[in-house]
């Protein structure tokens, strides 16, 4: 293949997006190939590279004392490793036929075309911003990048009042509710679903709502926002939902994100049902030999349902970047898929899930049983034992584990990893119940709560199998 870069014996890798997937790919490729073999150019439209977006709520809430603590590697550090990072530079067009990208310097407006031999798309995701009246008013914030987090902090510092409305009760919504609560705000969370955390089944989401209300958060379900009201100065003053206007000195959008694939769509690259790029196991974009993609802009294979899904998580992005970098750098790697594991918290409440919810299982035609148990994080007699609720889904007749959801206090959330491993291995609930897990009273009851749920699921699956 002829190299369009004009450097004999050296190829050029262009990376679009300077966060987890993009810079992991660039760094791994650099480990495998030196500057004499591979030139690497990375474009990032923001001010920062290689940072933890997942840490933004904890920075806003004050748990993380400084923004730079969230940055794993700065542009200067990448440049010291012979990766030409160009910040505040946005790629505006992909020319796949001529293998080049057009980039615009956001400070000067200057545009240049950069040829590539290999291209990595790591354009991430964008916060869902519904087209509501007033949605673009000052004081309304999405939270996706460090720049977004800084803008929100600036608003919180300048705000005269202490009333906050969070629109959406997913992971970002509940985490931002905690952050605002910790900063002394009166917090109202509005959500179109009846219960928060729609990544859980409603019965488990109800537990989250009750806990949030106990912390002083007002949670209003079945109330999609319809408008943002502003004052004479043009700044946000209210959010309307369900015929009620809720006072707001600041509004945070926690509705979720969608893949940022506008460049890919314009270039005719293959997209899935949720708008994410479709790749093969090597993270190469399907139908393209010279283009890879990873992170929040791609869809991934759900190993439990067998379907493609958009699951924007930093864990996936970093792993996919490593795979891309290995393949671009002449090595070999694959990303086989995910089981949909996530964990979060709001104040001292831990929330975790993996695998399928009830509606996910129905959507793919699976017949299932459920088992829900209440247990404690440690032996009941040991000091500090905290309550938790575990819900488990299992396939009828076969007993195959399909999903687990956990809501509880300290020690609850990371127990979901037991289920994540079991799902990846295709285990049955009977096998989960028989696992040889670590036990001591300070860490667990003699039967771990996940295994208690598994035992109940074994019985339920057996009964369902008997009656078919």
């Amino acid at each position: 293949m002829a190299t369009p870069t004009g450097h004999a014996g050296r190829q050029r890798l262009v990376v679009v997006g300077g966060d987890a997937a993009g810079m992991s790919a660039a760094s791994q490729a650099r480990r495998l190939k030196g500057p004499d073999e591979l030139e690497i150019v990375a474009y990032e439209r923001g001010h920062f590279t290689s940072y933890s977006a997942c840490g933004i709520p904890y920075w806003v809430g004050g748990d993380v004392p400084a923004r730079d603590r969230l940055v794993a590697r700065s542009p200067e550090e990448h440049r010291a490793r012979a990766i030409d990072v160009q910040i505040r530079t946005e790629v505006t067009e992909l020319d796949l036929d001529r293998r080049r990208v057009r980039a615009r310097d956001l400070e000067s407006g200057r545009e240049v075309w950069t040829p590539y031999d290999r291209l990595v798309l790591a354009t991430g995701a964008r916060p869902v911003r519904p087209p509501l009246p007033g949605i673009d008013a000052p004081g309304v914030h999405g939270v996706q990048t460090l720049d977004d987090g800084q803008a929100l902090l600036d608003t919180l510092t300048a705000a005269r009042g202490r009333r906050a409305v969070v629109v959406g009760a997913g992971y970002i919504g509940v985490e931002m509710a905690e952050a605002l609560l910790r900063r002394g705000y009166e917090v109202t969370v509005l959500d179109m679903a009846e219960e928060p955390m729609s990544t859980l089944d409603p019965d488990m989401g109800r537990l989250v709502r009750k806990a949030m209300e106990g912390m002083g958060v007002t949670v209003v379900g079945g109330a999609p926002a319809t408008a943002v009201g502003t004052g004479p100065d043009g700044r946000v003053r209210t959010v309307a939902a369900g015929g009620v206007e809720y006072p707001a000195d600041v509004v945070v959008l926690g509705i979720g994100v969608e893949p940022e694939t506008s460049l890919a769509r314009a270039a005719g690259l293959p997209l899935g049902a949720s708008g994410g790029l479709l790749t093969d196991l090597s993270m190469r974009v399907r139908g393209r030999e010279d283009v890879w993609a990873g992170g929040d802009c791609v869809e991934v294979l759900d190993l439990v349902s067998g379907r493609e899904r958009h699951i924007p998580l930093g864990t996936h992005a970093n792993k996919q970047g490593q795979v891309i970098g290995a393949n671009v750098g002449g090595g070999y790697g694959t990303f086989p898929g995910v089981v949909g594991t996530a964990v979060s918290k709001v104040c001292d409440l831990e929330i975790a899930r993996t695998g399928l919810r009830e509606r996910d299982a129905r959507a793919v035609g699976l017949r299932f049983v459920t088992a829900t148990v209440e247990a404690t994080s440690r032996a009941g007699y040991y000091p500090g034992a905290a309550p938790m609720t575990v819900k488990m889904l299992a396939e009828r007749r076969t007993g195959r584990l399909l999903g687990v959801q956990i809501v509880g206090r300290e020690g609850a959330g990371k127990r979901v990893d037991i289920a994540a491993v079991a799902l990846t291995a295709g285990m049955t609930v009977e096998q989960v119940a028989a696992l040889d897990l670590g036990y001591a009273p300070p860490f667990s009851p003699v039967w771990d709560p996940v295994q208690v749920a598994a035992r109940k699921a074994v019985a339920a699956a057996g009964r369902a199998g008997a009656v078919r």
Side-chain angles (χ1 to χ4, degrees), residues 77-276:
E77 289 172 315
H78 283 298
R79 292 176 192 133
R81 292 167 171 81
I83 298 172
D84 180 13
V85 176
Q86 300 186 29
I87 61 172
R88 299 295 292 150
T89 305
E90 182 176 16
V91 172
T92 59
E93 185 179 350
L94 309 177
D95 184 347
L96 301 180
D97 292 332
R98 300 177 68 177
R99 286 188 298 166
R100 60 179 187 165
V101 304
R102 181 163 63 182
R104 181 174 67 242
D105 185 309
L106 295 177
E107 305 296 341
S108 68
R110 186 175 67 93
E111 293 191 340
V112 296
W113 283 99
T114 304
Y116 66 82
D117 297 283
R118 299 170 188 181
L119 175 66
V120 173
L121 299 176
T123 46
R126 58 180 177 268
V128 174
R129 203 174 186 97
L132 304 179
I135 194 69
D136 294 321
V140 180
H141 294 268
V143 185
Q144 182 68 13
T145 68
L146 286 190
D147 292 295
D148 296 335
Q150 186 62 63
L152 173 58
L153 278 172
D154 292 343
T155 292
L156 295 176
T157 301
R160 295 181 179 178
R162 310 298 291 178
R163 298 168 300 184
V165 172
V166 178
V167 180
Y171 291 107
I172 292 296
V174 300
E175 289 171 355
M176 289 308 306
E178 175 186 354
L180 293 164
L181 200 65
R182 289 171 63 86
R183 293 185 68 89
Y185 277 74
E186 297 177 18
V187 181
T188 299
V189 177
L190 308 176
D191 197 57
M192 66 174 59
E194 290 295 331
E195 304 294 349
M197 294 299 294
S198 60
T199 52
L200 307 176
D201 287 323
D203 55 334
M204 297 295 282
R206 193 170 303 118
L207 300 177
V208 177
R209 174 173 55 82
K210 290 180 179 178
M212 291 177 69
E213 289 172 343
M215 299 166 191
V217 177
T218 300
V219 182
V220 185
T226 54
V228 175
T230 58
D233 59 357
R235 297 189 64 82
V236 63
R237 286 293 180 269
T238 61
V239 178
V244 179
E245 288 194 345
Y246 297 89
D249 300 295
V250 62
V251 174
V252 176
L253 302 178
I255 304 171
V257 298
E258 54 193 10
E260 177 50 88
T261 50
S262 53
L263 284 173
R265 185 183 299 276
L269 293 173
L271 305 179
S274 65

